[in-house]
Amino acid sequence: MKSQKKVCRSNKSPWVCLTCSSVHCGRYVNGHAKKHYEDAQIPMTNHKKTEKQEKVQHTVCMDCSSYSTYCYRCDDFVVNDTKLGLVQKVREHLQNLENSAFTSDRHRKRKLLENSSLNSKLLKVNGSTTALCATGLRNLGNTCFMNAILQSLSNIQQFCCYFKELPAVELRNGKTAGRRTYHTRSQGDNNVSLVEEFRKTLCALWQGSQTAFSPESLFYVVWKIMPNFRGYQQQDAHEFMRYLLDHLHLELQGGFNGVSRSVILQENATLSASNKCCINGASTVVTAIFGGILQNEVNCLICGTESRKFDPFLDLSLDIPSQFRNKRTKNQENGPMCTLRDCLRSFTDLEELDETELYMCHKCKKKQKSTKKFWIQKLPKVLCLHLKRFHWTAYLRNKVDTYVEFPLRGLDMKCYLLEPENSGPESCLYDLAAVVVHHGSGVGSGHYTAYAAHEGRWFHFNDSTVTLTDEETVVKAKAYILFYVERQAKSGSDKL
């Protein structure tokens, strides 16, 4: 901090220059970091530089608090690393400097307790001690919303395996082939593939690495193709999940940069043969795994005309019934407990539309009062349930902090089906695979973590930290998004 103190003695918003290692305050304090960049440009003007040298000259600095990196020449944040991972090494060095002797001692004691607890739990599960194989995801600056979704999807085995088995692709550009470069959202390079970076991220998880994986390459692609998620502010995990699945689906439909189109189309043809739920064109692994079909039934209350419409879905957004909204913990005694079944029942129950949602009756030829009811015409292989915890008031988006009880096993969806008699005994039962939890009071703040089951054990994913947990802890979570996997039917020899 010497360089900064020499100039203004401020400890607020320190930024370290990754070229010369000097530290200065940010532009919203006294702007010395920006002035340092500007001063460094003056000597360069006195020397003749080739056009090639001018193009590659960038001045990158790092926020010592959040570890985000910024390029003053591009006037934009940087989300990837050098080929040797030098930016990540600087981050790790800064994090080590922040840890005092007291904090280090406290972490060491906690780690010993966690390892002791971990070994005893693994002994109970497997009969022998097994090393923790899960890998965390580094927070790039309020990217916990992305990390929680990625960890959840990585534990949907059929979905995850599809991407991991895709052929690898090296994205190449004539000018940058063979080397990594800094990327910013202001550049015009469209040579990016969400499928490829998603595949790389999934492959990096569950390999037993003790170091958290940094998904900056995936985040860079997200910035490129999903402008809503640019920047480092907190985002809605459910909104991100929907954008991610939609863009993966669209990219898989037509192949992507460098991958043989025939490989993707061959996979899609196989999926389409057994899947009737297609959103925006041909079926892909996204619709084959998450795709279901709703029947929307509307009845005119004046003439009785019935209108039916079939809508594909990738997830169901469920309201938390208003009568339960004051019960915030599982053990709270005032009033009945809200269950996931209550939320599902509220979603599928017959509802009379209010004055703002009048139905245009083709028989009456005008808007009339009507009733609406949802039926599930086709259940997906993975049922994603989103609990609507955020509601807009006149000026704010408030959070519904009600605890909702949910089953770990045997969620029975048969009673919500349009034709339950055509379903087998096991095809309507679902077991929980992952849960995304929002901690905090508002959608633009707080923190996201995830619980997920892997090979019979439950893990808690909190950005870089992954810990083994138990079912009792999972069921106490205030779920925001629930991922249920269809229970596989028993073989013929097992049936009565």
Side-chain angles (χ1 to χ4, degrees):
M1 297 296 293
K2 285 184 179 179
S3 299
Q4 186 174 341
K5 288 182 178 178
K6 277 183 183 177
V7 180
C8 66
R9 298 183 179 277
S10 173
N11 288 324
K12 295 180 180 179
S13 184
W15 289 77
V16 59
C17 174
L18 298 188
T19 301
C20 68
S21 301
S22 62
V23 181
H24 298 277
C25 62
R27 66 173 71 193
Y28 299 115
V29 181
N30 291 314
H32 289 126
K34 189 170 187 291
K35 188 175 187 302
H36 170 69
Y37 158 71
E38 292 168 347
D39 291 345
Q41 305 308 302
I42 295 173
M44 295 182 187
T45 59
N46 299 325
H47 300 279
K48 292 184 178 180
K49 294 174 65 65
T50 65
E51 186 180 348
K52 182 178 179 181
Q53 287 175 318
E54 179 64 31
K55 283 183 179 178
V56 298
Q57 183 61 44
H58 292 266
T59 302
V60 180
C61 59
M62 180 180 290
D63 186 339
C64 297
S65 300
S66 67
Y67 311 122
S68 58
T69 50
Y70 193 89
C71 177
Y72 274 111
R73 188 174 188 277
C74 298
D75 196 24
D76 210 341
F77 284 98
V78 179
V79 296
N80 66 341
D81 204 342
T82 65
K83 189 174 183 180
L84 297 175
L86 298 178
V87 175
Q88 184 56 39
K89 289 179 181 178
V90 174
R91 284 195 183 102
E92 291 173 356
H93 180 64
L94 290 174
Q95 287 173 328
N96 291 334
L97 290 176
E98 281 190 352
N99 294 328
S100 64
F102 172 75
T103 305
S104 298
D105 185 55
R106 186 176 61 185
H107 281 312
R108 196 182 309 114
K109 289 179 180 177
R110 186 174 65 184
K111 219 169 185 64
L112 286 171
L113 289 172
E114 287 175 353
N115 288 340
S116 174
S117 173
L118 170 63
N119 288 337
S120 64
K121 287 174 183 175
L122 291 177
L123 282 168
K124 289 180 183 178
V125 175
N126 297 328
S128 61
T129 302
T130 307
L132 185 67
C133 56
T135 300
L137 285 168
R138 193 168 296 281
N139 193 315
L140 306 176
N142 282 327
T143 56
C144 56
F145 68 93
M146 177 177 75
N147 292 347
I149 294 298
L150 292 176
Q151 293 286 15
S152 297
L153 294 178
S154 76
N155 286 284
I156 309 296
Q157 293 305 312
Q158 193 174 355
F159 184 70
C160 180
C161 289
Y162 173 90
F163 286 95
K164 288 165 71 173
E165 291 170 2
L166 285 175
V169 180
E170 280 298 324
L171 297 181
R172 293 183 178 273
N173 183 298
K175 297 179 181 178
T176 61
R179 62 182 176 87
R180 292 283 295 276
T181 58
Y182 284 111
H183 292 297
T184 69
R185 70 187 186 198
S186 59
Q187 288 179 278
D189 181 14
N190 292 318
N191 190 25
V192 295
S193 168
L194 180 64
V195 170
E196 172 64 3
E197 295 306 332
F198 185 66
R199 183 195 69 80
K200 288 179 182 176
T201 302
L202 293 182
C203 288
L205 302 177
W206 298 105
Q207 289 187 344
S209 173
Q210 297 299 311
T211 305
F213 178 73
S214 184
E216 74 274 358
S217 295
L218 175 61
F219 195 40
Y220 161 65
V221 176
V222 168
W223 275 21
K224 279 290 181 183
I225 65 177
M226 305 179 201
N228 290 2
F229 298 96
R230 290 177 180 173
Y232 291 94
Q233 66 273 26
Q234 183 63 281
Q235 302 280 0
D236 183 3
H238 174 251
E239 185 180 358
F240 172 75
M241 182 197 75
R242 284 306 313 267
Y243 270 90
L244 178 67
L245 292 178
D246 287 344
H247 281 278
L248 287 172
H249 172 66
L250 291 173
E251 194 170 307
L252 285 168
Q253 283 180 318
F256 53 97
N257 295 307
V259 170
S260 170
R261 185 182 175 89
S262 61
V263 172
I264 298 297
L265 294 181
Q266 184 178 355
E267 294 280 359
N268 291 346
T270 304
L271 293 167
S272 298
S274 59
N275 179 56
K276 296 179 180 178
C277 177
C278 298
I279 301 172
N280 297 327
S283 177
T284 66
V285 68
V286 175
T287 54
I289 300 294
F290 292 95
I293 300 175
L294 279 177
Q295 178 181 284
N296 183 356
E297 188 176 292
V298 179
N299 284 279
C300 175
L301 289 176
I302 306 302
C303 69
T305 298
E306 185 180 273
S307 173
R308 291 180 182 176
K309 180 183 171 188
F310 291 96
D311 296 313
F313 69 86
L314 295 179
D315 70 311
L316 297 178
S317 291
L318 311 177
D319 281 305
I320 297 174
S322 56
Q323 66 266 31
F324 298 110
R325 292 189 182 180
N326 291 325
K327 194 172 180 68
R328 299 196 170 188
T329 65
K330 184 173 183 179
N331 299 323
Q332 197 171 331
E333 295 180 358
N334 57 327
M337 175 77 65
C338 181
T339 67
L340 186 58
R341 187 167 292 279
D342 291 318
C343 299
L344 284 164
R345 191 181 299 117
S346 175
F347 179 78
T348 56
D349 274 352
L350 189 69
E351 171 193 3
E352 184 172 337
L353 300 177
D354 59 32
E355 295 291 336
T356 62
E357 299 179 288
L358 293 179
Y359 161 68
M360 183 64 190
C361 178
H362 296 290
K363 187 173 181 181
C364 298
K365 300 191 183 303
K366 63 183 209 178
K367 291 185 177 181
Q368 301 283 27
K369 285 189 175 182
S370 58
T371 60
K372 179 178 73 173
K373 181 173 176 59
F374 285 119
W375 294 96
I376 298 177
Q377 199 266 341
K378 176 188 175 292
L379 284 166
K381 292 180 180 177
V382 174
L383 179 64
C384 179
L385 301 175
H386 161 235
L387 298 179
K388 294 162 74 171
R389 291 196 174 273
F390 301 105
H391 289 267
W392 284 103
T393 59
Y395 302 101
L396 298 171
R397 197 178 186 189
N398 293 330
K399 182 180 177 182
V400 179
D401 207 29
T402 303
Y403 172 76
V404 177
E405 189 176 49
F406 54 89
L408 288 178
R409 300 176 190 84
L411 174 64
D412 192 350
M413 295 296 293
K414 194 165 189 175
C415 60
Y416 310 109
L417 282 176
L418 181 64
E419 298 174 339
E421 65 277 3
N422 294 335
S423 301
E426 294 281 329
S427 61
C428 300
L429 293 179
Y430 286 81
D431 298 321
L432 190 66
V435 187
V436 173
V437 181
H438 178 268
H439 311 266
S441 58
V443 68
S445 60
H447 183 60
Y448 287 99
T449 65
Y451 293 95
H454 185 81
E455 295 180 352
R457 295 172 291 168
W458 280 95
F459 293 87
H460 183 218
F461 298 92
N462 183 6
D463 288 334
S464 299
T465 305
V466 183
T467 53
L468 193 70
T469 187
D470 52 37
E471 294 183 351
E472 290 75 18
T473 302
V474 176
V475 296
K476 291 177 183 176
K478 292 182 181 177
Y480 181 47
I481 306 172
L482 296 150
F483 296 88
Y484 280 94
V485 177
E486 180 184 37
R487 185 179 291 179
Q488 296 299 312
K490 295 179 181 178
S491 61
S493 59
D494 295 334
K495 293 180 181 178
L496 296 175

